[in-house]
Structure formats: C-alpha cells, structure tokens
Amino acid sequence: MHSRIQSIQVCIGSAASLRVVALMAPAFAKPDLKTPVRDLLPLNARVAALAQDGDYVEIMPGRFVHRRHVAPLDQLESDFVAVAERFVGVPYVWGGKTFAGMDCSGLIQTALKATGFQAPRDTDMMERDLGRPIALVDVRRADLIFWKGHMGVALDSARLLHANAFHMQVTIDPLAEALARNEALAGPVTAVKRLDPRQK
C-alpha cells in the first residue's frame, strides 16, 4: 500500500492522474469519513490528485476520496472476468455502466476498461470488433457469447455471467439455462468470441 501512496503523491497536479478502482467511490466533503458524501464516483472514473491529506486525496475543492479507492492510471486489473464478477447483484438498467445499474454490454465494457482494454459500447459493435470466432462447444472462461441484442461472458464451460432483464440484475446462470432462455427470447447464439490480449 505504501507504493500506492507514493505514486499518488508523485502524480499530484491538475490533470487526471488517478482512476477509481472501487465499484463506487464516495467523495467526501472533507478528508473524514464522517462528513457528508458529495458525489459517488464509478469504477474507472478518472480524477485529478490536487493534494493528499492523510488517507484522503483531494480530487477537486471540497471533494475527497479515500486513497484505497483510487490508483494511478497505469495500475490496471489483470482479469476482466474477475472485475465483472464484482458486479453480481447490481440491478439491470438499460444503458447503465455503473454500480447503480448496468446493462449487458455496459458490464463487459466496464470490466474490460478496468484492464486497459477499450471496447465499443454496444453489443453488435462488440460482436463485430472484438476477438476471434470460436465454436460454442469450445467455450471457456473469458469467452464472450452473443445473441441478437444481448451478450455475456463465460465463467467456465458451464456458467454465464451477464446483466439481464430476466432477473433484472447481474447474475451467474448455468450456461445451458441461459442458452435456452435467450434462444426463446432473442434467437440462437450469433457468435462466440475469444479475445486477443494484444487487441488492447
């Protein structure tokens, strides 16, 4: 943790030098957790470090975040699926990309961004632009599965993680159940894609 504090101190200035690493980071009125929360900042939000006061970083006048909720911009997550799993239980909100609510492509885009992987916003664009096609029978962890207007990520060969309007939240479902339900609602799987880490 000491190295993170040093990194924050080095990056103090007016330009965004930190990103939020918590699912939602409260911005307090003062460098004290007992003061009012003025804002809630989502994962991946970029902020400037104006000053440091103990365990708090001032990101703008009258807005302080805890140092454990931020990290230098180049300090990225290594596993986007693990990031996506942190959102299980978050409500489904069409167009959402935060802990307050997210949709299927918002979940994947947000998780990928935490690893430095830039992805398009919508399902059809992700299907077109990301990864290489593979057979559904070969699916494994981190493979993206697409239907018309919907997508999810495989946790392994038997489970799917997705933000969905059926449960109205981010859930982990048996893949066989998700395949059957989504086929009835949206038609058959349109693609299964395996990401190339070099595509970042």
Side-chain angles (χ1 to χ4, degrees):
M1 212 43 81
H2 180 69
S3 63
R4 181 179 287 179
I5 295 172
Q6 293 296 86
S7 297
I8 291 171
Q9 289 174 338
V10 168
C11 295
I12 288 174
S14 59
S17 58
L18 304 173
R19 71 178 189 89
V20 171
V21 294
L23 294 182
M24 194 71 80
F28 298 96
K30 296 180 180 177
D32 180 347
L33 62 83
K34 294 182 181 177
T35 60
V37 172
R38 299 296 188 203
D39 289 301
L40 292 171
L41 306 175
L43 176 69
N44 296 322
R46 291 178 170 221
V47 296
L50 303 181
Q52 188 164 354
D53 189 337
D55 284 339
Y56 292 84
V57 178
E58 186 175 20
I59 59 170
M60 61 187 315
R63 300 289 187 276
F64 296 82
V65 295
H66 198 279
R67 66 179 172 82
R68 289 196 176 96
H69 290 165
V70 291
L73 293 178
D74 62 356
Q75 188 174 315
L76 300 169
E77 300 284 346
S78 60
D79 181 356
F80 88 91
V81 181
V83 175
E85 286 181 281
R86 293 165 58 194
F87 287 96
V88 169
V90 166
Y92 179 87
V93 173
W94 187 82
K97 299 184 2 171
T98 74
F99 193 69
M102 51 188 17
D103 65 14
C104 61
S105 54
L107 170 66
I108 303 304
Q109 186 190 45
T110 299
L112 285 169
K113 187 173 183 180
T115 69
F117 197 113
Q118 299 302 315
R121 175 60 181 96
D122 295 325
T123 304
D124 59 337
M125 292 184 281
M126 286 192 197
E127 181 178 351
R128 181 191 67 220
D129 296 346
L130 298 182
R132 62 179 174 83
I134 63 162
L136 183 59
V137 294
D138 295 326
V139 74
R140 67 180 190 205
R141 181 179 174 84
D143 290 339
L144 302 176
I145 303 174
F146 295 90
W147 294 262
K148 182 174 174 51
H150 187 59
M151 70 180 299
V153 62
L155 294 181
D156 50 40
S157 62
R159 296 177 301 154
L160 181 76
L161 172 66
H162 59 147
N164 61 90
F166 179 79
H167 295 291
M168 287 303 292
Q169 63 182 328
V170 178
T171 59
I172 298 171
D173 291 332
L175 181 56
E177 287 181 19
L179 289 170
R181 185 170 61 243
N182 287 328
E183 183 166 354
L185 295 171
V189 168
T190 55
V192 181
K193 304 293 274 296
R194 182 160 296 160
L195 298 176
D196 180 350
R198 295 168 299 179
Q199 196 173 17
K200 287 184 184 181

